[in-house]
């Protein structure tokens, strides 16, 4: 298995904790996580500019296209998880990269045709949907439960480093020579795909290896509380929907609020600082987050997002900067803890779990986009854009308290917390039961 090379098992670090030295395949995937987001975010943040200014699409049409593409990219993770269970993790990543490479290549001739450009964008979105569940599952396959936080946080840091560097690296070429830019991104994805073809195959497994020397119940679970109950923090799917729902208000609407009140350069600096903080803080906080109970992680995460949006609403450069830092803390805590809790509570293969988490994220992002646009419009009409952020802050405090226990009660009533064995791919490709 990729995660268990000979002679490279986990080592005990200071204070009795277990640390992970990534294997060769895992290290390669982490590097690719950076390169993939570097290439993707060299072009995707500028799609609205290309579709509107170069291809002449109306802003309303551009908004619909980007919203649907985002929904495909998130919700398609369920298909990615199912495909990984059928054909394997490496094969799924190869298919995903082939689709995404074809999408970026299609942009080169598609820059003169709106329909061709939209088709290329949806190919790219489909490839992204297929890739991420298999990528995360490959990283954690064969890892102990105590190793997972470091691996997933390292993956998140690699992705966010690419997100931070991609837009400024591509800015000089987006409008002057977009064809060359898309050709370069296509070549990058082709090389990354060839590298994936050299990875050792990994079976899709549900087994969770206990950390050496580990005993007793996990510290972040209440042994007396059934999975999905309010005492255990609530179903991770629902918490993920709410986490992304609240977070996407910040991502979608901060520019509208911050640029007129500060400057475009200040806003760009906030985004750069945000991404850098994610890259540095995620690995440093991973063990602390893993040790939190799910209920406490929710209180910290949603509390930080509520405080951050409220501070942004207070206005000024300092408020925007401090608010962004608080929301960054909320994202780090909630996004990592949701993935860890979803893995720990499910008997399904990790790729399937990550696919469901992507679906939850897609639902939250879509709802935030629809509701946020209406809410921000009302706030502007009333002449109080500050009130928009206070309304978001109130939602961050109230919605988890109201909806998470309700979802847990429904889950228990209809037997959703029960698990049963699922079929997964065996090393020889045939089905096996775990």
């Amino acid at each position: 298995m990729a995660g268990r090379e000979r002679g490279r098992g986990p080592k005990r670090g200071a204070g009795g904790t277990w640390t992970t030295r990534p294997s060769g395949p895992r290290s390669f995937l982490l590097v690719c996580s950076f390169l993939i987001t570097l290439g993707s975010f060299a072009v995707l943040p500028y799609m609205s500019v290309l579709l509107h200014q170069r291809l002449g699409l109306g802003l309303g049409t551009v908004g619909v296209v980007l919203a649907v593409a985002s929904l495909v990219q998130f919700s398609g993770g369920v298909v990615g998880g199912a495909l990984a269970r059928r054909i394997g993790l490496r094969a799924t990543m190869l298919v995903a990269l082939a689709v995404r490479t074809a999408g970026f290549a299609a942009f080169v001739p598609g820059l003169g045709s709106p329909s061709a450009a939209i088709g290329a964008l949806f190919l790219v979105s489909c490839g992204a949907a297929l890739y991420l569940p298999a990528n995360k599952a490959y990283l954690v396959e064969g890892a102990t439960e105590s190793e997972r936080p470091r691996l997933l946080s390292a993956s998140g840091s690699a992705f966010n480093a690419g997100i931070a560097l991609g837009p400024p690296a591509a800015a000089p070429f987006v409008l002057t020579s977009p064809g060359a830019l898309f050709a370069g991104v296509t070549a990058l994805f082709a090389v990354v795909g060839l590298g994936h073809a050299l990875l050792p195959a990994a079976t899709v497994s549900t087994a969770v290896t206990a950390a050496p020397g580990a005993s007793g119940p996990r510290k972040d679970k209440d042994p007396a509380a059934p999975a999905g109950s309010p005492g255990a923090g609530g179903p991770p799917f629902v918490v993920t929907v709410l986490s992304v729902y609240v977070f996407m208000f910040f991502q979608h609407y901060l520019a509208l609020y911050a640029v007129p009140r500060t400057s475009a350069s200040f806003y760009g600096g906030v985004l750069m600082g945000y991404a850098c903080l994610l890259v540095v803080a995620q690995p440093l906080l991973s063990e602390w987050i893993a040790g939190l109970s799910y209920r406490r992680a929710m209180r910290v995460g949603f509390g930080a997002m509520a405080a951050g949006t409220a501070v942004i609403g207070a206005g000024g450069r300092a408020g925007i900067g401090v608010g962004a830092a608080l929301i960054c803390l909320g994202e780090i805590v909630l996004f990592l803890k949701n993935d860890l809790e979803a893995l720990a509570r499910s008997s399904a293969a990790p790729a399937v779990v990550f696919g469901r988490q992507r679906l939850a994220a897609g639902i939250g992002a879509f709802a935030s986009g629809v509701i946020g646009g209406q809410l921000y419009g009302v706030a502007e009409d009333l002449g109080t854009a500050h009130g928009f952020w206070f309304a978001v802050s109130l939602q961050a405090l109230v919605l988890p308290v109201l909806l998470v226990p309700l979802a847990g009660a429904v889950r228990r009533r209809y037997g959703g917390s029960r698990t049963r064995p699922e079929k997964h791919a065996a090393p020889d490709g045939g089905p096996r039961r775990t």
Side-chain angles (χ1 to χ4, degrees):
M1 168 52 227
R4 293 197 167 196
E5 290 187 337
R6 292 179 182 175
R8 300 193 71 176
K11 292 190 174 183
R12 185 176 288 275
T17 60
W18 287 85
T19 60
T20 302
R21 185 195 305 169
S23 65
R26 281 177 174 154
S27 298
F28 171 78
L29 279 187
L30 292 174
V31 172
C32 287
S33 295
F34 166 73
L35 294 176
I36 285 170
T37 49
L38 177 69
S40 298
F41 278 80
V43 293
L44 294 181
Y46 301 105
M47 285 309 302
S48 59
V49 176
L50 291 171
L51 292 174
H52 177 58
Q53 294 187 5
R54 185 181 180 90
L55 297 175
L57 293 179
L59 286 175
T61 303
V62 170
V64 171
V65 168
L66 295 181
V68 175
S70 297
L71 184 61
V72 168
Q73 181 170 332
F74 279 108
S75 60
V78 174
V79 179
L83 183 64
R85 187 169 61 173
R86 180 166 294 274
I87 69 174
L89 300 175
R90 182 183 64 178
T92 300
M93 288 190 286
L94 288 173
V95 170
L97 289 170
V99 172
R100 212 166 187 190
T101 303
F104 284 117
F107 270 114
V108 179
L111 288 171
S113 167
S115 59
I118 292 172
L121 176 61
F122 280 107
L123 273 178
V124 171
S125 298
C126 289
L130 296 176
Y131 181 81
L132 192 59
N135 170 279
K136 283 187 170 183
Y138 196 105
L139 277 176
V140 303
E141 177 67 21
T144 65
E145 197 165 353
S146 63
E147 292 170 342
R148 286 174 167 180
R150 284 189 177 274
L151 291 170
L152 291 176
S153 63
S155 175
S157 291
F159 274 107
N160 281 293
I163 291 172
L165 296 178
F173 311 103
V174 170
L175 294 179
T176 58
S177 52
L181 177 61
F182 279 107
V185 173
T186 301
L188 173 64
F189 271 81
V191 171
V192 169
L194 289 175
H196 277 67
L198 302 178
L199 286 172
T203 59
V204 182
S205 170
T206 63
V208 178
T209 306
S215 63
R218 283 177 45 200
K219 115 170 84 162
D220 63 337
K221 278 193 172 182
D222 178 358
S229 71
F237 186 94
V238 175
V239 180
T240 300
V241 170
L242 293 176
S243 301
V244 176
Y245 170 77
V246 173
F247 169 75
M248 293 303 286
F249 285 110
F250 167 79
Q251 182 148 317
H252 282 152
Y253 301 104
L254 183 63
L256 287 175
Y257 179 79
V259 173
R261 291 165 176 79
T262 57
S263 67
S265 59
F266 177 80
Y267 171 69
V270 169
L271 292 188
M272 179 71 77
Y274 189 99
C276 291
L277 183 59
L278 275 175
V279 170
V280 174
Q282 274 186 321
L284 295 178
L285 297 177
S286 61
E287 290 189 357
W288 171 68
I289 294 169
L292 292 175
S293 70
Y294 200 22
R295 284 180 297 179
R296 180 168 296 178
M298 288 170 57
R299 287 196 293 267
V300 172
F302 285 113
M305 287 190 176
T309 49
V311 171
I312 290 173
R317 292 173 180 257
I320 292 171
V322 172
L326 287 168
I327 291 171
C328 183
L329 172 63
E331 178 187 353
I332 291 171
V333 173
L334 287 174
F335 286 21
L336 177 57
K337 191 64 176 181
N338 287 336
D339 277 353
L340 293 173
E341 201 71 15
L343 282 171
R345 295 185 183 205
S346 177
S347 64
V352 175
V353 173
F354 289 127
R356 293 170 183 164
Q357 289 296 98
R358 291 286 288 177
L359 172 60
I363 294 171
F366 188 79
S368 182
V370 172
I371 295 173
Q374 301 297 320
L375 188 60
Y376 199 92
V378 170
E380 279 202 330
D381 290 342
L382 295 175
T384 173
H386 299 281
F388 169 83
W389 298 104
F390 293 122
V392 175
S393 177
L394 183 63
Q395 290 183 80
L397 293 174
V398 172
L399 290 181
V401 175
L402 295 179
L403 297 184
V404 172
L406 177 63
V410 171
R411 185 180 178 91
R412 290 196 312 277
R413 179 177 179 84
Y414 294 100
S417 62
R418 293 193 299 267
T419 60
R420 59 181 180 181
E422 300 189 19
K423 292 182 179 179
H424 306 291
D428 60 359
R432 69 178 171 86
R433 219 174 255 281
T434 57

